[in-house]
Amino acid sequence: MAIVNPYLSIKTVNVIILDSPIKRHGVAEWIMKQNPTTCCLQETHLNYIETHRLKVKEWKKVLRACRNQKRIG
């Protein structure tokens, strides 16, 4: 029998560039501790090919929306 959580937890985090493996690991650990239903990461600056770097075993889906330009400011 599966346990169903009646609450919806949404986290949104401005990570400001996930270019370092150490930073990606730290963000992934924090998200796993928080255990949100949905987590939105802003300003990852990862392109389509790099989205695999965000996959964590427990994550069901990784969706992305970005432009081709990387601009700060």
Side-chain angles (χ1 to χ4, degrees):
M1 178 180 223
I3 298 173
V4 178
N5 186 349
Y7 300 101
L8 176 67
S9 170
I10 299 173
K11 299 286 184 187
T12 181
V13 184
N14 189 337
V15 293
I16 309 174
I17 306 176
L18 287 178
D19 55 353
S20 158
I22 293 170
K23 189 170 183 181
R24 286 191 300 269
H25 180 72
V27 168
E29 277 189 349
W30 181 84
I31 293 169
M32 288 176 14
K33 285 179 186 175
Q34 298 295 315
N35 194 24
T37 306
T38 300
C39 185
C40 303
L41 301 178
Q42 301 169 13
E43 295 190 39
T44 63
H45 290 259
L46 297 176
N47 62 32
Y48 179 75
I49 296 169
E50 296 172 323
T51 55
H52 73 278
R53 295 181 178 178
L54 289 176
K55 291 191 177 179
V56 174
K57 186 178 178 183
E58 291 81 18
W59 295 1
K60 304 288 185 233
K61 291 187 182 187
V62 174
L63 305 174
R64 63 177 260 315
C66 69
R67 294 183 277 165
N68 292 335
Q69 271 184 327
K70 291 185 178 182
R71 290 190 300 183
I72 297 175

